[in-house]
Amino acid sequence: MKLTFHIWRQKNRNAPGAMARYESSNMNPDMSMLEALDVLNDELILRGEDPVTFEHDCREGICGSCGFVINGVAHGPMAKTTVCQLTLRHFKDGDELFLEPWRSRAFPVLRDLMVDRGAFDRIIAAGGYCSVPAGSAPDGNAIPVPKTDADRAMDAAACIGCGACVAACPNASASLFTGAKISHLGLLPQGQPERDSRALKMVLQMNEEKFGQCTNMGECEAVCPKGISIEVIARMNRDYLKASWKYRGAQAVSGDA
Amino acid sequence: MAVTGALLVGFIFAHLAGNLQIFLGPDRFNGYAHALKSIPELLWVARIVLLTAVILHIWSALQLMVLKNEARPIGYERHKMQASTYASRTMYWSGPILACFIIYHLLEFTVGVGGTAFVDADAYGNVINGFRVPVVSLFYILSMGLLSLHLRHGIASAVESLGFSHPRHTPRIKLASAIAAALIFFGFVSIPVAVLAGVIPSII
Amino acid sequence: MLDAKLPSGPIEKAWEKCRFEMKLVNPANKRKYEIIVVGTGLAGGAGAASLGELGYNVKCFCFQDSPRRAHSIAAQGGINAAKNYQNDGDSIYRLFYDTVKGGDFRAREANVYRLAENSVKIIDQCVAQGVPFAREYGGTLSNRSFGGAQVSRTFYARGQTGQQLLLGAYQALERQIDAGTVKMYPRTEMLDLVVIDGRARGIVTRNLVTGAIECHVADAVVLGTGGYGNVYYLSTNAKGSNATAIWRAYKRGAMFGNPCFTQIHPTCIPVSGDYQSKLTLMSESLRNDGRIWVPLQKGDKRSPDQIPESERDYYLERRYPSFGNLVPRDVASRNAKAVCDEGRGVGEHGLGVYLDFSASIERLGVDKIRERYGNLFEMYERITDEDPYKVPMRIYPAIHYTMGGLWVDYQLMSTIPGLFVIGEANFSDHGANRLGASALMQGLSDGYFIIPYTLGNYLASNKFEKVDASHPEFAAAKDAVNQKTNALLAAKGTRTVDSFHRELGKIMWDECGMSRNAAGLESAIGRIRELREQYWRDVKVLGGNEEINQSLEKAGRVADFFELGELMCQDALHRNESCGGHFREEYQTPDGEAQRDDENFSYVAAWEYTGAEPKLNKEPLTFDYVHPSQRSYK
Ligand SMILES: Cc1cc2nc3c(=O)[nH]c(=O)nc-3n(C[C@H](O)[C@H](O)[C@H](O)COP(=O)(O)OP(=O)(O)OC[C@H]3O[C@@H](n4cnc5c(N)ncnc54)[C@H](O)[C@@H]3O)c2cc1C
Ligand code: HEM
Ligand code: HEM
Ligand code: SF4
Ligand code: F3S
Ligand code: FES
């Protein structure tokens, strides 16, 4: 199988980049997209050309390392599928593929298809946790959790932090990612004590990281490999509005609320 | 954004209700127009609220636009939208055109410099005279289309931005938004169409 | 003889007694200690977060872009705990017993008992962190039985247990990062350990973005860098999983325990072509409802629906009537290999066996099967383009876990004072075979509930003179790292790193994989040496050091895999017995089962780096509670 790739090449964070064209006839429909790049890279190395840099680790759709835009769609044409799980069966012999990195100011390109998603870590650090020092927890069954709540919390918790939502959002908003964590913890009794401060701090951090604002376009949900629903964004807005009302006027908003 | 949007939607519905009284004849309609103006304080309060809402709305839209452009300084070579609607993607077009429409609309019916015959205190006559000019009617109909498009996304979006969501109700909100948008479209459009078709004056 | 410093007295009280005897660090002084934690998986992440919480000054490292991506995230099945919530007769003692027996009597009893004890607290801790474990309608935690256990003690969060546990640890870690107690260094790879005056005092790292080689000084170093299954090239491990950190520590004097003990998971998706870069695990739970078979006839190329019942061989049900398809992992894997070696394997390359759900679908209905395994079936179809509701799945064993690792004493300290090793990176509590759902348990036990105590004990018991990065040992380690990097870049040969890695992996899989024999291992050692020599001459790594260079990263890791692979073969060759995952063809019972030799091999083999041939040290194992017996699943 033959494919033509147009791939964004950029040496480092500050260098300018451009699309470059490569052809390979050694493709196989059973390969994953990343294996296709492995094969292409082996060819490039043997020709003495720089291999394409792309992020990856687990290659089974769970670590969230991988991801780029294929022909205009984050993670490519298959719904609920990361690029590491996307096989070439979904393309035809002779197809042209445009591979571009996630585009967002908050995710600077480090090299080729690799971006820096540190902003996501900082959003979690701002409040995406329950504060329980090791050893201080009550028995696991001390607080019963209704099954539906546990299930819905799990739906939201499935986020792998890949960044596709930001990449696809016309506003480059991180609302789906942030909303997913706020919803996951907000749906569980264990998350209640810090629910207000969590929403305030995480939303504040999200805005500080220079992500855009959500205008409910729904693109994020469509590309999310874990099928996170935009309901989590409304939930985030609700928690945020409620918390801002409760702490109105207080410096608590940015402090240790 | 959501708050200003909600205010604007509220006005639109009130205005629609008022305007549809045109089908009840000149007295009723002019009566309504007079009633509006009978308590100038109230009128001005409403006008100021409305104006502020419009200004704030446009201001936040501009902010959103700046943020959006800043948030993605380098765009994609290829970008294929997956889920967003035509309405949601054209907010930055439908909005400003609507603003132009409103300015023209105010000039025409409130100030009276719209190029169509204008008689102060005869709102009914002004409307009929205005819509007898097909270009004006056409412009109105087009604008109503855009308004409806803008609100189709806008209403549902405002509701979501205010934090309402539910696995069962969210699709309903979207549907309600579409229905409201359609109502607004057909409601407003019925007036110029009726005038052009000659239905309205003959009601008398 | 190695001393594991096991506490004396009854095993039920051992850990408590040991904790009481430990020295404590004055709370006000904790801030003054610098601790390095390498790894942010369940072990490292939980460890760094807990140490930060206690007030130590922690520096934490991982090679991924975020601590949340550590390989632990991929674990699917679940985590064991002796909660006995199901009232089905589980207890700490039973979990302890099962684990020692499952490990084929090559684990340390005291460690395993402590693990079983801690398991209970782990679940509480994770629930409080917001881990969304599966629940019953009444709101209580749900359990399943896993890996052939006779009690339901496995806690799970859909098929994403590892992910949820890791996110819990990651969030706790991020909280400490925000609080300033932990400083995180993502995209930073540890390339050497620095030992000063016999104690671990720091590491040398490479910044994977800028290429900068940096020195980090500390009072103690904790490694939680995961397993080394990627020696085999194809494994279920994440692509980045590597042995570099533990291998460097080995070369600085930490002994390596039982390197040849690897676990092969029986239910993975078979290899489909040379380009294959990794293997995907299909959860073991599938064996609860799937029947495993191959055609009776060799080379039968008919499609499975064309093969009548009478011409199918349900070999596990035939050979092990009482356990059937639920025999332990090592037994299931070995049998799959045996039937494929006989030429009865299925699929294009003949390396696969059927896992057939048609009987269960008939019995329980499609909906029930979909409810139980829907997402696994989807994943299978996505990868193979075959619909397992209609066509039997094809599965084949793959390398999955390494029980071996750096040798540690009861305090989880290696033979280098001040170097602690936790999680899959140590030689662990699993003996020669790990039971399902117990690696997650071990990682969290080490991280949340052991290292915070034992590390404090070490710090409080020792005096530390000030050291800084200008110390000659740091300079020497830095030089060594630079030299290695330059050598790899300078080779400018003709073959890619991956091509070498694939070749090494094939040797390891063929000779030191599911079954091993002396002749094969000897030849493997020779071939690995040759290949390694060729590697340093002929590898082609483009680009330079001062940039993001993924080929260079891989090249360094593969260089270490060559050396480790050789040691694994040597260990496998010296262990003249079969036990757990280590199956030596020469040592089997008449009906082909593993034949242990407790007389001569009831010890941990701890290998010491000498520069020339590695030196074997032994830690004898004694069993006072669970008496060694032949495992039988007939
Ligand atoms: C597919 C799969 C499924 C599994 N399912 C289960 C299951 O259901 N139940 C169960 O109990 N176990 C399961 N296991 C086993 C279990 O997941 C692992 O044993 C366990 O997660 C290991 O955790 P860890 O913290 O020791 O290491 P890891 O999670 O591997 O973390 C290693 C960390 O070290 C860092 N690191 C490594 N090398 C370096 C270096 N040189 N420099 C800097 N940082 C470095 C990495 O960045 C990473 O953060 C499964 C394993 C696999 C492969
Ligand atoms: C210059 C003029 C205008 C511009 C640029 C503009 C732009 C926008 C944009 C970008 C949005 C999307 C915000 C979001 O979804 O969150 C929006 C929403 C909305 N607009 Fe406008 N608009 C304009 C005029 C108007 C007018 C005249 C009306 C009403 C008559 C109106 C009503 C609404 C409503 C109800 C919303 C939804 C609010 C929300 O989403 O929170 N807009 N507008
Ligand atoms: C067919 C459609 C419409 C008709 C017939 C109509 C008619 C009128 C009339 C007659 C007036 C003047 C009332 C008076 O001064 O006595 C008026 C005012 C106004 N209209 Fe409309 N209108 C229509 C659509 C709209 C739309 C779509 C909008 C906004 C998006 C709008 C916004 C306004 C505003 C802001 C005023 C000024 C109110 C004031 O004086 O404070 N109109 N309209
Ligand atoms: S919400 Fe979905 S798309 Fe966004 S980071 Fe999480 S998994 Fe990726
Ligand atoms: S696409 Fe963007 S606008 Fe909101 S709904 Fe998703 S974040
Ligand atoms: S490589 Fe882990 S999700 Fe794709």
Side-chain angles (χ1 to χ4, degrees), chain A residues 24-55:
Chain A
S24 172
S25 313
N26 296 324
M27 299 290 141
N28 180 313
D30 288 333
M31 281 178 187
S32 72
M33 184 50 90
L34 298 190
E35 284 166 346
L37 289 181
D38 289 342
V39 169
L40 177 69
N41 276 346
D42 268 9
E43 290 172 15
L44 290 177
I45 292 172
L46 293 178
R47 290 209 301 259
E49 292 177 45
D50 253 340
V52 179
T53 300
F54 60 92
E55 197 124 41

mmCIF file of all heavy atoms in Angstrom, chain A residues 24-55:
data_model
loop_
_atom_site.group_PDB
_atom_site.id
_atom_site.type_symbol
_atom_site.label_atom_id
_atom_site.label_comp_id
_atom_site.label_asym_id
_atom_site.label_seq_id
_atom_site.Cartn_x
_atom_site.Cartn_y
_atom_site.Cartn_z
ATOM 1 N N SER A 24 5.658 6.708 0.849
ATOM 2 C CA SER A 24 6.167 5.387 1.191
ATOM 3 C C SER A 24 5.248 4.339 0.596
ATOM 4 O O SER A 24 4.027 4.459 0.646
ATOM 5 C CB SER A 24 6.254 5.212 2.701
ATOM 6 O OG SER A 24 6.584 3.862 2.965
ATOM 7 N N SER A 25 5.865 3.310 0.031
ATOM 8 C CA SER A 25 5.069 2.233 -0.561
ATOM 9 C C SER A 25 5.051 1.027 0.346
ATOM 10 O O SER A 25 4.508 -0.013 0.002
ATOM 11 C CB SER A 25 5.663 1.814 -1.908
ATOM 12 O OG SER A 25 5.946 2.946 -2.659
ATOM 13 N N ASN A 26 5.687 1.147 1.500
ATOM 14 C CA ASN A 26 5.778 -0.022 2.381
ATOM 15 C C ASN A 26 4.703 -0.060 3.441
ATOM 16 O O ASN A 26 4.908 -0.561 4.530
ATOM 17 C CB ASN A 26 7.146 -0.051 3.058
ATOM 18 C CG ASN A 26 8.247 -0.229 2.040
ATOM 19 O OD1 ASN A 26 8.053 -0.938 1.059
ATOM 20 N ND2 ASN A 26 9.358 0.439 2.245
ATOM 21 N N MET A 27 3.556 0.506 3.119
ATOM 22 C CA MET A 27 2.495 0.549 4.106
ATOM 23 C C MET A 27 1.645 -0.714 4.013
ATOM 24 O O MET A 27 1.582 -1.344 2.956
ATOM 25 C CB MET A 27 1.623 1.778 3.866
ATOM 26 C CG MET A 27 2.394 3.076 3.982
ATOM 27 S SD MET A 27 2.841 3.361 5.696
ATOM 28 C CE MET A 27 4.478 4.040 5.556
ATOM 29 N N ASN A 28 1.016 -1.027 5.137
ATOM 30 C CA ASN A 28 0.200 -2.232 5.193
ATOM 31 C C ASN A 28 -1.086 -1.887 5.928
ATOM 32 O O ASN A 28 -1.046 -1.221 6.959
ATOM 33 C CB ASN A 28 1.015 -3.281 5.976
ATOM 34 C CG ASN A 28 0.284 -4.590 6.109
ATOM 35 O OD1 ASN A 28 -0.893 -4.616 6.454
ATOM 36 N ND2 ASN A 28 0.992 -5.673 5.853
ATOM 37 N N PRO A 29 -2.215 -2.315 5.409
ATOM 38 C CA PRO A 29 -3.490 -1.899 6.016
ATOM 39 C C PRO A 29 -3.633 -2.303 7.476
ATOM 40 O O PRO A 29 -4.392 -1.669 8.214
ATOM 41 C CB PRO A 29 -4.551 -2.616 5.177
ATOM 42 C CG PRO A 29 -3.865 -3.140 3.981
ATOM 43 C CD PRO A 29 -2.406 -3.148 4.219
ATOM 44 N N ASP A 30 -2.920 -3.336 7.918
ATOM 45 C CA ASP A 30 -3.044 -3.760 9.313
ATOM 46 C C ASP A 30 -2.206 -2.935 10.277
ATOM 47 O O ASP A 30 -2.310 -3.079 11.483
ATOM 48 C CB ASP A 30 -2.637 -5.236 9.456
ATOM 49 C CG ASP A 30 -3.683 -6.171 8.857
ATOM 50 O OD1 ASP A 30 -4.861 -5.766 8.831
ATOM 51 O OD2 ASP A 30 -3.320 -7.265 8.408
ATOM 52 N N MET A 31 -1.349 -2.080 9.731
ATOM 53 C CA MET A 31 -0.500 -1.255 10.605
ATOM 54 C C MET A 31 -1.323 -0.198 11.324
ATOM 55 O O MET A 31 -2.320 0.277 10.801
ATOM 56 C CB MET A 31 0.482 -0.450 9.753
ATOM 57 C CG MET A 31 1.640 -1.177 9.270
ATOM 58 S SD MET A 31 2.571 -0.012 8.250
ATOM 59 C CE MET A 31 3.775 -1.150 7.623
ATOM 60 N N SER A 32 -0.822 0.196 12.490
ATOM 61 C CA SER A 32 -1.408 1.366 13.117
ATOM 62 C C SER A 32 -0.736 2.593 12.498
ATOM 63 O O SER A 32 0.318 2.492 11.865
ATOM 64 C CB SER A 32 -1.146 1.356 14.621
ATOM 65 O OG SER A 32 0.207 1.645 14.878
ATOM 66 N N MET A 33 -1.364 3.751 12.690
ATOM 67 C CA MET A 33 -0.808 4.985 12.161
ATOM 68 C C MET A 33 0.609 5.214 12.683
ATOM 69 O O MET A 33 1.484 5.694 11.957
ATOM 70 C CB MET A 33 -1.738 6.136 12.567
ATOM 71 C CG MET A 33 -1.353 7.470 12.026
ATOM 72 S SD MET A 33 -1.037 7.488 10.284
ATOM 73 C CE MET A 33 -2.581 7.837 9.613
ATOM 74 N N LEU A 34 0.853 4.854 13.938
ATOM 75 C CA LEU A 34 2.195 5.078 14.487
ATOM 76 C C LEU A 34 3.198 4.091 13.913
ATOM 77 O O LEU A 34 4.361 4.421 13.706
ATOM 78 C CB LEU A 34 2.171 4.993 16.026
ATOM 79 C CG LEU A 34 1.295 6.022 16.725
ATOM 80 C CD1 LEU A 34 1.541 5.988 18.233
ATOM 81 C CD2 LEU A 34 1.525 7.421 16.192
ATOM 82 N N GLU A 35 2.728 2.870 13.638
ATOM 83 C CA GLU A 35 3.634 1.912 12.997
ATOM 84 C C GLU A 35 3.973 2.386 11.588
ATOM 85 O O GLU A 35 5.098 2.195 11.115
ATOM 86 C CB GLU A 35 3.016 0.515 12.990
ATOM 87 C CG GLU A 35 3.105 -0.134 14.374
ATOM 88 C CD GLU A 35 2.231 -1.373 14.562
ATOM 89 O OE1 GLU A 35 1.326 -1.629 13.734
ATOM 90 O OE2 GLU A 35 2.436 -2.079 15.553
ATOM 91 N N ALA A 36 3.011 3.026 10.946
ATOM 92 C CA ALA A 36 3.283 3.581 9.626
ATOM 93 C C ALA A 36 4.398 4.625 9.735
ATOM 94 O O ALA A 36 5.319 4.663 8.915
ATOM 95 C CB ALA A 36 2.022 4.207 9.050
ATOM 96 N N LEU A 37 4.335 5.454 10.784
ATOM 97 C CA LEU A 37 5.393 6.452 10.958
ATOM 98 C C LEU A 37 6.724 5.784 11.322
ATOM 99 O O LEU A 37 7.785 6.259 10.909
ATOM 100 C CB LEU A 37 5.003 7.480 12.029
ATOM 101 C CG LEU A 37 3.896 8.464 11.634
ATOM 102 C CD1 LEU A 37 3.615 9.439 12.771
ATOM 103 C CD2 LEU A 37 4.259 9.233 10.370
ATOM 104 N N ASP A 38 6.661 4.674 12.084
ATOM 105 C CA ASP A 38 7.899 3.930 12.368
ATOM 106 C C ASP A 38 8.566 3.500 11.059
ATOM 107 O O ASP A 38 9.772 3.653 10.879
ATOM 108 C CB ASP A 38 7.608 2.636 13.154
ATOM 109 C CG ASP A 38 7.177 2.888 14.591
ATOM 110 O OD1 ASP A 38 7.420 3.993 15.102
ATOM 111 O OD2 ASP A 38 6.601 1.959 15.195
ATOM 112 N N VAL A 39 7.734 2.941 10.175
ATOM 113 C CA VAL A 39 8.274 2.446 8.904
ATOM 114 C C VAL A 39 8.842 3.606 8.104
ATOM 115 O O VAL A 39 9.960 3.545 7.578
ATOM 116 C CB VAL A 39 7.172 1.710 8.109
ATOM 117 C CG1 VAL A 39 7.630 1.424 6.695
ATOM 118 C CG2 VAL A 39 6.783 0.417 8.830
ATOM 119 N N LEU A 40 8.077 4.708 8.057
ATOM 120 C CA LEU A 40 8.549 5.880 7.333
ATOM 121 C C LEU A 40 9.875 6.359 7.944
ATOM 122 O O LEU A 40 10.825 6.673 7.233
ATOM 123 C CB LEU A 40 7.496 6.986 7.394
ATOM 124 C CG LEU A 40 7.903 8.301 6.743
ATOM 125 C CD1 LEU A 40 7.984 8.139 5.230
ATOM 126 C CD2 LEU A 40 6.913 9.410 7.098
ATOM 127 N N ASN A 41 9.945 6.383 9.275
ATOM 128 C CA ASN A 41 11.158 6.863 9.942
ATOM 129 C C ASN A 41 12.356 5.978 9.639
ATOM 130 O O ASN A 41 13.460 6.478 9.424
ATOM 131 C CB ASN A 41 10.939 6.939 11.457
ATOM 132 C CG ASN A 41 10.273 8.254 11.845
ATOM 133 O OD1 ASN A 41 10.214 9.187 11.038
ATOM 134 N ND2 ASN A 41 9.774 8.320 13.056
ATOM 135 N N ASP A 42 12.139 4.661 9.631
ATOM 136 C CA ASP A 42 13.251 3.770 9.281
ATOM 137 C C ASP A 42 13.764 4.103 7.884
ATOM 138 O O ASP A 42 14.976 4.148 7.648
ATOM 139 C CB ASP A 42 12.799 2.302 9.360
ATOM 140 C CG ASP A 42 13.075 1.708 10.744
ATOM 141 O OD1 ASP A 42 13.447 2.484 11.646
ATOM 142 O OD2 ASP A 42 12.910 0.484 10.914
ATOM 143 N N GLU A 43 12.817 4.361 6.971
ATOM 144 C CA GLU A 43 13.242 4.711 5.607
ATOM 145 C C GLU A 43 14.025 6.022 5.615
ATOM 146 O O GLU A 43 15.064 6.149 4.965
ATOM 147 C CB GLU A 43 12.026 4.862 4.687
ATOM 148 C CG GLU A 43 11.333 3.540 4.385
ATOM 149 C CD GLU A 43 10.011 3.742 3.641
ATOM 150 O OE1 GLU A 43 9.771 4.849 3.114
ATOM 151 O OE2 GLU A 43 9.216 2.788 3.601
ATOM 152 N N LEU A 44 13.515 6.991 6.382
ATOM 153 C CA LEU A 44 14.188 8.290 6.423
ATOM 154 C C LEU A 44 15.592 8.151 6.991
ATOM 155 O O LEU A 44 16.557 8.706 6.460
ATOM 156 C CB LEU A 44 13.387 9.278 7.274
ATOM 157 C CG LEU A 44 12.063 9.767 6.687
ATOM 158 C CD1 LEU A 44 11.339 10.678 7.679
ATOM 159 C CD2 LEU A 44 12.307 10.503 5.378
ATOM 160 N N ILE A 45 15.716 7.392 8.081
ATOM 161 C CA ILE A 45 17.029 7.256 8.726
ATOM 162 C C ILE A 45 18.016 6.630 7.752
ATOM 163 O O ILE A 45 19.138 7.115 7.592
ATOM 164 C CB ILE A 45 16.924 6.403 10.005
ATOM 165 C CG1 ILE A 45 16.114 7.151 11.066
ATOM 166 C CG2 ILE A 45 18.308 6.077 10.550
ATOM 167 C CD1 ILE A 45 15.781 6.332 12.303
ATOM 168 N N LEU A 46 17.562 5.593 7.071
ATOM 169 C CA LEU A 46 18.494 4.934 6.146
ATOM 170 C C LEU A 46 18.879 5.857 4.992
ATOM 171 O O LEU A 46 19.974 5.752 4.446
ATOM 172 C CB LEU A 46 17.903 3.617 5.639
ATOM 173 C CG LEU A 46 17.762 2.559 6.755
ATOM 174 C CD1 LEU A 46 17.131 1.283 6.224
ATOM 175 C CD2 LEU A 46 19.104 2.253 7.421
ATOM 176 N N ARG A 47 17.982 6.795 4.666
ATOM 177 C CA ARG A 47 18.339 7.771 3.624
ATOM 178 C C ARG A 47 19.148 8.933 4.194
ATOM 179 O O ARG A 47 19.510 9.851 3.472
ATOM 180 C CB ARG A 47 17.054 8.377 3.025
ATOM 181 C CG ARG A 47 16.221 7.426 2.179
ATOM 182 C CD ARG A 47 15.437 8.169 1.104
ATOM 183 N NE ARG A 47 14.525 9.180 1.607
ATOM 184 C CZ ARG A 47 13.202 8.998 1.739
ATOM 185 N NH1 ARG A 47 12.678 7.832 1.421
ATOM 186 N NH2 ARG A 47 12.438 9.964 2.178
ATOM 187 N N GLY A 48 19.349 8.915 5.507
ATOM 188 C CA GLY A 48 20.111 9.991 6.130
ATOM 189 C C GLY A 48 19.286 11.230 6.428
ATOM 190 O O GLY A 48 19.822 12.306 6.664
ATOM 191 N N GLU A 49 17.969 11.105 6.420
ATOM 192 C CA GLU A 49 17.118 12.260 6.739
ATOM 193 C C GLU A 49 16.591 12.123 8.157
ATOM 194 O O GLU A 49 16.367 11.021 8.642
ATOM 195 C CB GLU A 49 15.932 12.331 5.765
ATOM 196 C CG GLU A 49 16.316 12.669 4.346
ATOM 197 C CD GLU A 49 15.098 12.641 3.414
ATOM 198 O OE1 GLU A 49 14.054 13.194 3.809
ATOM 199 O OE2 GLU A 49 15.198 12.048 2.332
ATOM 200 N N ASP A 50 16.333 13.273 8.777
ATOM 201 C CA ASP A 50 15.820 13.289 10.143
ATOM 202 C C ASP A 50 14.484 12.574 10.264
ATOM 203 O O ASP A 50 13.554 12.890 9.536
ATOM 204 C CB ASP A 50 15.591 14.743 10.562
ATOM 205 C CG ASP A 50 16.638 15.177 11.551
ATOM 206 O OD1 ASP A 50 17.244 14.281 12.169
ATOM 207 O OD2 ASP A 50 16.835 16.394 11.688
ATOM 208 N N PRO A 51 14.375 11.626 11.178
ATOM 209 C CA PRO A 51 13.066 10.981 11.360
ATOM 210 C C PRO A 51 12.052 11.958 11.959
ATOM 211 O O PRO A 51 12.428 12.954 12.577
ATOM 212 C CB PRO A 51 13.357 9.833 12.329
ATOM 213 C CG PRO A 51 14.612 10.219 13.033
ATOM 214 C CD PRO A 51 15.391 11.072 12.077
ATOM 215 N N VAL A 52 10.777 11.649 11.781
ATOM 216 C CA VAL A 52 9.704 12.503 12.297
ATOM 217 C C VAL A 52 9.528 12.247 13.791
ATOM 218 O O VAL A 52 9.399 11.101 14.224
ATOM 219 C CB VAL A 52 8.381 12.176 11.577
ATOM 220 C CG1 VAL A 52 7.248 13.044 12.133
ATOM 221 C CG2 VAL A 52 8.534 12.351 10.078
ATOM 222 N N THR A 53 9.503 13.309 14.588
ATOM 223 C CA THR A 53 9.304 13.168 16.023
ATOM 224 C C THR A 53 7.803 13.184 16.330
ATOM 225 O O THR A 53 7.082 14.065 15.868
ATOM 226 C CB THR A 53 9.982 14.330 16.763
ATOM 227 O OG1 THR A 53 11.375 14.300 16.458
ATOM 228 C CG2 THR A 53 9.789 14.204 18.263
ATOM 229 N N PHE A 54 7.366 12.190 17.054
ATOM 230 C CA PHE A 54 5.970 12.182 17.507
ATOM 231 C C PHE A 54 5.934 11.517 18.867
ATOM 232 O O PHE A 54 6.752 10.654 19.177
ATOM 233 C CB PHE A 54 5.061 11.448 16.512
ATOM 234 C CG PHE A 54 5.432 10.012 16.276
ATOM 235 C CD1 PHE A 54 4.858 8.990 17.034
ATOM 236 C CD2 PHE A 54 6.367 9.672 15.303
ATOM 237 C CE1 PHE A 54 5.209 7.661 16.829
ATOM 238 C CE2 PHE A 54 6.728 8.338 15.090
ATOM 239 C CZ PHE A 54 6.148 7.337 15.855
ATOM 240 N N GLU A 55 4.979 11.939 19.678
ATOM 241 C CA GLU A 55 4.915 11.429 21.045
ATOM 242 C C GLU A 55 4.114 10.124 21.063
ATOM 243 O O GLU A 55 3.119 9.999 20.358
ATOM 244 C CB GLU A 55 4.227 12.460 21.931
ATOM 245 C CG GLU A 55 4.452 12.242 23.375
ATOM 246 C CD GLU A 55 5.057 13.490 24.022
ATOM 247 O OE1 GLU A 55 4.656 14.610 23.704
ATOM 248 O OE2 GLU A 55 5.943 13.321 24.842
#
